[in-house]
Amino acid sequence: MQTQAIFTVDVEDWFHAAVMQRHLSRLPNFVPRHRLADNLAALKDWLESNNAKATFFCLSSLTPEVNVQLRALSDAGHEIASHGHSHTSLNQLSAHKLKDELESSKAMLEQLTGRPVLGFRAPNFSITDEAIAAISAAGYLYDSSVYDVPWHPGYGKLTLDKMGNRPYRLSNGLLELPLSIWKKSGMSIPMAGGAYLRHFPFALFKRAACQLGQSGYFHFYMHPW
C-alpha cells in the first residue's frame, strides 16, 4: 500500500509558543527577532522540489514580510487556513472574543489571499465543545485541532463528540482532521511532528510515521521557526 500523509504547518513565530509566553511575559521590554519570512520561503522551495502541497494554518497578525510569503504560498496552490489572530488558547477567551478571533482571522486571511479560508486549528490544540460550535458558526468547513493525548494537560478535549485518530464528521457537520497518534501498549503516543519530532529518537518516529501512513492516514505538522 502506498504511504499517504497530510502535511500541515502552524504559521506562528517562536515567541508565540505557549512554552515561551510563560517566560516572555516577565520581560516587558522584550523585542522579538522575527524568523518566519525566510523560513517560509525556504519551505516553499522544498515543497516545490518534492512536488508536494501543504496546508498552512496561519495567524492573521503576522508581519507584512510574512504576508508576502503567505500570498506566494497561496498562489502556488498551497492552502491557507486559520490559526486564529492572537494565538491565545481558546479556553482563555470569552464567547465574544472567541467569535471575534474566528471571524476576524478568517476575513483577514481571505482578504490577503483572495481565496476562501475553509479550515481552522486552535492555538496550542486548545479545542473545546464551545469552540467547535463557534468554528462552525463562523463559516469554517473543517477543524484540525484534536490531538487525542489524554495525559497532556494543555490539549483541549471534546465531550459532546468522541475524539478519534482518523478523519471523521462532528455532530454539527464540521469535518475533523485529527493529528496522528500511535497506539502502543495501551498508550496514546503523539507522533504528528512538532516538538515530538525533536523529543523522540528519529528511528522511532520514522517507524511510527511509516506504519501510520501505510494504514491510510498520517497527519504530520511542523512549525517553520
Side-chain angles (χ1 to χ4, degrees):
M1 181 182 295
Q2 183 180 8
T3 299
Q4 300 181 46
I6 295 176
F7 182 29
T8 59
V9 183
D10 286 4
V11 184
E12 62 195 63
D13 221 320
W14 66 273
F15 50 84
H16 289 117
V19 66
M20 296 304 302
Q21 285 295 319
R22 290 197 294 268
H23 302 287
L24 297 178
S25 62
R26 306 171 189 167
L27 304 173
N29 298 319
F30 170 73
V31 178
R33 176 185 175 187
H34 296 271
R35 299 178 178 175
L36 276 182
D38 290 344
N39 289 0
L40 285 173
L43 181 55
K44 177 176 176 289
D45 290 343
W46 180 83
L47 287 165
E48 289 178 354
S49 70
N50 286 276
N51 193 30
K53 299 297 183 186
T55 292
F56 291 77
F57 290 97
C58 307
L59 295 179
S60 57
S61 57
L62 300 171
T63 66
E65 292 80 8
V66 173
N67 287 342
V68 169
Q69 295 300 328
L70 298 185
R71 282 193 293 269
L73 286 163
S74 179
D75 291 342
H78 302 285
E79 181 186 13
I80 301 299
S82 173
H83 198 35
H85 183 75
S86 65
H87 204 261
T88 304
S89 292
L90 302 188
N91 54 13
Q92 297 176 11
L93 297 171
S94 67
H96 174 75
K97 289 184 177 180
L98 173 61
K99 181 176 183 292
D100 183 62
E101 282 264 337
L102 293 168
E103 293 180 353
S104 63
S105 63
K106 187 176 192 298
M108 292 171 72
L109 292 170
E110 287 178 342
Q111 183 176 16
L112 175 68
T113 63
R115 295 178 173 87
V117 168
L118 306 179
F120 178 81
R121 174 170 291 162
N124 309 311
F125 302 112
S126 56
I127 196 61
T128 65
D129 294 329
E130 294 78 12
I132 283 292
I135 292 166
S136 178
Y140 295 93
L141 298 186
Y142 74 89
D143 175 72
S144 184
S145 306
V146 167
Y147 208 176
D148 191 11
V149 186
W151 48 263
H152 195 295
Y155 294 168
K157 303 289 186 292
L158 299 181
T159 61
L160 299 180
D161 287 278
K162 183 178 180 180
M163 299 196 297
N165 192 36
R166 300 177 74 89
Y168 59 97
R169 189 73 61 178
L170 293 161
S171 57
N172 67 357
L174 277 180
L175 177 66
E176 179 63 44
L177 299 176
L179 281 296
S180 287
I181 58 172
W182 200 33
K183 294 282 191 179
K184 284 294 177 183
S185 301
M187 293 185 63
S188 296
I189 306 173
M191 280 293 176
Y196 301 107
L197 180 59
R198 303 188 295 274
H199 295 333
F200 292 128
F202 183 70
L204 176 66
F205 187 90
K206 185 176 181 181
R207 177 185 171 194
C210 288
Q211 287 186 8
L212 289 167
Q214 289 167 2
S215 74
Y217 183 75
F218 176 52
H219 189 155
F220 175 84
Y221 87 103
M222 63 169 291
H223 297 102
W225 42 264

